[in-house]
Amino acid sequence: MKKPKRIWTFAAKKYEQEKAFQYYKRNYDLLVGQVTNFPNETYLGNREEKVCRFCGKNQSEITFNEKPHVFPISTGNINLLSYYECDECNNFFGRYLEGEYQNLFSFVHNLYMVGGRKGKIPLVQSNDNCNKITVINKNDDEKIHLISDIAGKEHVDIKGNTITLSSPDITIIPIAIYKCLTKMALAIMPEEELPNFQKTISWIREKKHKTIMQKKHMCRYIEFKHAPYVKWPMGFLFKRKSNSKDGPYMIFLYVYAKMALMIEVPCDKVKYPYDIRKIYPLILGVPIEDIIIDLSCTEKCLVEGGIRSFSYEKLVDLTEETQKPDTENKYAQLIREHMLAFK
C-alpha cells in the first residue's frame, strides 16, 4: 500500500491581526469584492454578446446554453452565474478541476454543512469503512450529523462537548485544486486585467497538468471556528499597489462557511512569484487556525487525512432506538429512512 502524502502543514508565520491590516493597507488595493447572496439567478458578463473569457470563442463558434457558476456550487454558490463561460469550458472545469476541489474539502464541507446542488451535503467515511458521517434534515429548520459505528470500532473520541474525528485519506490531483481556485479568481477579474493573465488562462484549460510558477504552488487555508457562519460565499481580489514590490501582483481570497482559502494568482508578467507563506491572510476580528496546503503535485496521489474536532450542543445515542423496528422515535425514523447512505 502506497504511503499517503502529507500536504498540510501549520503556517510558520504567526497570525497577528493588526500587522495583517497594516500590511494590506500599505501594499494592496481591494480590486474586487464579489458576493453571492442573490435571491435570484444573477449573471456576470454581457447577455447579448457572449464571449468566453477562457477560450476566447463567441456565440457563433460555440454554445452558451448551460448555467456556469462563477464559484463552485459545491461551496454553496447557488445564484451567481456567468455569461462569459461557454459550455465546453464549463464542462471541462466541472470534470477536471471542481471535482478535485470537492474531494479535498468534502470532510470540511460535511462538518460545516456546506450544501451543493439541491443542498446535498457530502457523506464522509473512514478509510476502513467502519465509520460514516452524513447530514440529514431533522426538520425544516434544523440539520443534524449522524455518525454510524458500523463495525463496532472506536473511531470517534468524545470528550466534554467536543467530538474528535479522523478524516479519511483521499486520492486527488493537488495542482487541479490550485487551478480551480485560479479559475474562480479569473472569473471575477475585471476585463482590463485579463491581458496580464493569458498564459494562466491557457494553463487552467490544459488536461495534462503541469506547474506554472517557479516555486511550489501553496495555498493558505484558514478556519475561523468561533466566528459567525458565512452562508453565502465571497470572493476577493487584492492587487498590489504600483508603488509596492512586497507581495504577489494579485491575491485571491475565497471565504465561505467557517473557512477561507488564499492563493497567489499566477501572472504572466511576474517572473519570480512571491511566496504566499510570507503573506498574512486578511481575516480580521476573529481568532483563526492557519494552515499551508502544498498543491504542487501534478499527478494523482493519495493524500493523508488528519484529526478534526468540532463542538456540539446535544449528543443522542440512537443505538437502542434503531434496533427496535416498531419504535416511534423520530431520530430512529430519520436514520432508517437514510440507511442506504450508510451501506
Side-chain angles (χ1 to χ4, degrees), residues 43-53 55-68 82-87 191:
Y43 284 81
L44 301 183
N46 189 326
R47 180 179 181 179
E48 303 304 323
E49 298 180 9
K50 297 175 183 176
V51 178
C52 180
R53 63 169 48 186
C55 68
K57 296 178 182 178
N58 59 37
Q59 288 173 283
S60 66
E61 301 171 288
I62 204 161
T63 59
F64 289 80
N65 297 325
E66 298 181 9
K67 297 180 177 181
S82 170
Y83 282 134
Y84 45 61
E85 183 177 324
C86 70
D87 296 342
E191 286 192 20

Side-chain angles (χ1 to χ4, degrees), residues 212-224:
I212 190 173
M213 298 188 291
Q214 297 178 0
K215 63 177 181 57
K216 289 188 174 182
H217 295 56
M218 297 294 194
C219 169
R220 289 194 87 119
Y221 171 75
I222 306 113
E223 286 195 14
F224 34 97

